[in-house]
Amino acid sequence: MDLSAYTILVVEDHDFQRRMTLRLLKDLGAETLLEASNGREALQSLVDRGEPVDIILCDLDMPEMDGVEFISRVAEFRLAHAVAVVSAMEISILNTVETMAKAYGLQVLGAISKPLNLQDLTKCISSFQPKGSVRAASVAPSEFNVEDLKNGLVEREFIAFFQPKVSFATGEVLGVEALVRWFRPGHGVVSPLYFIHQMELEGLVTPLTEVLLTQTCGYLKAWARRGYELTASVNVSMLCLSDVSIADRLHDLVKDSDCEPKQIILEVTETEVMVDVAKVLNVLARLRLKGFGLSIDDFGTGYSSLQQLSNVPFTELKIDQSFVKDSPIQPRHRTIIEASLDLARKLKLKTVAEGVETRAEWDLLKSLGCLQAQGYFIARPMPGHQVLDWIQMWQAPEEA
Ligand code: C2E
Ligand code: MG
Ligand code: MG
């Protein structure tokens, strides 16, 4: 492949590695080479340049602006035709980033692990298609069918984002909830609200749970290696729990990922599809015996009822965000929250308030004795590789 016609930008904070990459590219015949030592600097030079470069080779773990943020800006402003990710991070993380970049409409040449060598670089660059158009990302979900969903599972387009759960009392980050996002190439990011129901109808929700649990265990291990022992909550549809083999499968999956069931909290979410309640109870009891935490999600709405609480060995109750919202000015919401917290205390369940958006909601829920908070006031759901950086920046609100 003749690289002399292309402009290639290398973004790498490590001087030696940047020089080495430039050398290898020259050996491959590249003539027009640009370089930057971080995302911010690279973005500035691309904006100044005024026309897109052909290829960007980008490290992920960089100071100032990390590679993921950089890639999303590049896509948003159409600053390149193609990107290749070069990083020392785990391959599963590289795959995630690759999927995201594709969803933003960028041509992705591949993810190369470090140390970079000529063979990998050649293979990656030679997949570049010069006429590749740069499409804009969009967030509006468009029509999709069961084949798109199945294909999305095969192509690893479903990505776990993580939203922190923190202690009201100490501000400490105790865990995260995994929330799926569909990075659909050419269509942008699709919210689970648009596809979970259809996945349930098509029998795809169990594979999805397994995908999310696998990604989650991967991150739990990576975080633990850096000294952060977190728990992670994974949403499990009631429908998924009516398959009697699921308890063993989830257990084996967690063990095979070198994690322990006690690190995982399964959040039972309701479904409109009819399920066999007896089977679900059997499965939940077995999951609890195997050590998983069990959380009743969206408590107070739909199926998340008192009856379930009396039958299932739950360990946690999540107060639905519809009650948290406006609770400081809505006496009825406050009353429901107080009753739910009272019930949870008597049943010895941990309590989590979801959808905490304001300081006033934080103060109220804290004063009522709720244990954990989750919501935009603390943090929005984020990609797994950002979690530890976020934890380091996080400061709980000062006492009122
Ligand atoms: P959920 O489990 O109750 O998750 C909480 C939802 O509230 C998430 O929406 C989260 O992004 C959003 N949220 C968090 N904090 C705030 C806040 O302060 N304000 C507001 N307005 N919203 C907030 P998301 O990610 O769109 O998920 C929606 C629902 O989709 C989830 O509700 C869950 O029932 C389902 N879901 C998500 N991921 C999965 C999954 O992997 N499997 C299954 N079966 N269901 C999932
Ligand atoms: Mg949930
Ligand atoms: Mg919820």
Side-chain angles (χ1 to χ4, degrees):
M1 173 178 210
D2 178 17
L3 287 187
S4 63
Y6 304 131
T7 307
I8 304 176
L9 168 65
V10 176
V11 192
E12 163 68 68
D13 60 314
H14 203 283
D15 283 343
F16 174 74
Q17 279 171 357
R18 191 174 62 249
R19 281 201 304 273
M20 199 180 80
T21 309
L22 291 165
R23 258 277 303 280
L24 290 176
L25 285 166
K26 273 199 186 123
D27 291 349
L28 288 173
E31 287 172 8
T32 317
L33 290 168
L34 307 172
E35 58 182 295
S37 61
N38 65 58
R40 203 171 298 285
E41 188 188 315
L43 206 58
Q44 191 58 53
S45 72
L46 286 169
V47 171
D48 293 344
R49 199 180 125 84
E51 65 173 310
V53 295
D54 294 297
I55 300 171
I56 294 177
L57 285 175
C58 175
D59 185 17
L60 286 185
D61 193 10
M62 295 183 295
E64 300 267 337
M65 178 188 282
D66 70 51
V68 177
E69 192 184 345
F70 170 67
I71 289 172
S72 64
R73 300 280 179 88
V74 165
E76 191 183 344
F77 301 116
R78 302 170 181 233
L79 298 172
H81 293 292
V83 292
V85 173
V86 186
S87 178
M89 291 199 176
E90 266 174 56
I91 198 75
S92 63
I93 299 179
L94 294 186
N95 287 335
T96 305
V97 175
E98 193 179 340
T99 308
M100 285 209 273
K102 269 190 204 154
Y104 281 123
L106 268 180
Q107 204 190 117
V108 178
L109 304 181
I112 322 175
S113 46
K114 281 184 185 173
L116 191 65
N117 64 48
L118 195 60
Q119 197 182 4
D120 289 347
L121 186 64
T122 312
K123 193 168 149 221
C124 178
I125 298 270
S126 61
S127 66
F128 176 57
Q129 288 170 343
K131 289 197 188 70
S133 63
V134 186
R135 286 167 303 184
S138 90
V139 284
S142 50
E143 290 295 307
F144 52 85
N145 58 35
V146 57
E147 290 309 318
D148 297 325
L149 291 169
K150 282 186 183 159
N151 189 47
L153 282 168
V154 174
E155 297 294 331
R156 292 188 295 231
E157 291 167 11
F158 294 94
I159 306 286
F161 267 42
F162 297 93
Q163 188 176 36
K165 289 165 73 184
V166 305
S167 157
F168 272 113
T170 63
E172 188 191 351
V173 181
L174 303 170
V176 293
E177 177 177 2
L179 293 158
V180 65
R181 304 286 178 258
W182 184 11
F183 282 84
R184 214 184 148 204
H187 295 265
V189 186
V190 185
S191 149
L193 297 172
Y194 295 107
F195 60 81
I196 294 289
H197 182 63
Q198 197 173 350
M199 284 195 131
E200 289 179 334
L201 294 176
E202 304 291 351
L204 298 173
V205 76
T206 299
L208 178 73
T209 306
E210 291 170 342
V211 165
L212 265 275
L213 192 57
T214 307
Q215 290 181 20
T216 301
C217 288
Y219 279 109
L220 282 177
K221 256 192 331 188
W223 297 328
R225 272 201 299 273
R226 290 178 53 189
Y228 291 84
E229 301 280 348
L230 301 175
T231 62
S233 304
V234 173
N235 291 282
V236 183
S237 157
M238 288 270 256
L239 192 71
C240 180
L241 299 169
S242 55
D243 166 1
V244 283
S245 71
I246 196 72
D248 288 328
R249 276 160 59 197
L250 296 185
H251 175 263
D252 293 349
L253 193 160
V254 169
K255 284 291 205 179
D256 289 346
S257 312
D258 280 335
C259 287
E260 290 299 324
K262 67 169 197 269
Q263 296 174 270
I264 305 287
I265 300 167
L266 302 173
E267 289 193 5
V268 182
T269 62
E270 70 167 303
T271 169
E272 286 157 30
V273 184
M274 281 297 284
V275 293
D276 181 338
V277 177
K279 272 192 193 156
V280 170
L281 293 180
N282 170 325
V283 168
L284 283 170
R286 290 181 46 220
L287 284 164
R288 182 70 198 116
L289 280 176
K290 289 176 189 297
F292 288 96
L294 296 181
S295 176
I296 183 164
D297 205 350
D298 308 330
F299 183 69
T301 67
Y303 285 71
S304 302
S305 65
L306 292 175
Q307 202 191 351
Q308 277 192 27
L309 271 188
S310 61
N311 289 327
V312 179
F314 281 114
T315 54
E316 179 187 274
L317 180 152
K318 288 192 95 167
I319 298 176
D320 190 61
Q321 46 182 288
S322 61
F323 303 120
V324 173
K325 190 172 168 54
D326 295 337
S327 50
I329 50 167
Q330 283 266 10
R332 282 169 172 272
H333 287 186
R334 182 185 166 137
T335 305
I336 292 171
I337 293 170
E338 282 172 342
S340 307
L341 291 175
D342 192 39
L343 190 70
R345 262 190 297 270
K346 289 180 177 146
L347 293 171
K348 300 197 168 33
L349 305 180
K350 293 191 182 120
T351 46
V352 183
E354 64 176 33
V356 177
E357 288 188 359
T358 65
R359 173 70 201 243
E361 289 162 6
W362 168 282
D363 288 340
L364 177 68
L365 268 299
K366 183 176 176 182
S367 73
L368 295 178
C370 186
L371 295 179
Q372 298 181 26
Q374 184 182 342
Y376 297 167
F377 181 62
I378 298 107
R380 289 192 175 246
M382 62 188 88
H385 73 273
Q386 288 178 5
V387 168
L388 294 190
D389 287 343
W390 177 85
I391 292 178
Q392 272 148 22
M393 304 277 293
W394 158 248
Q395 279 182 323
E398 304 268 318
E399 281 292 329

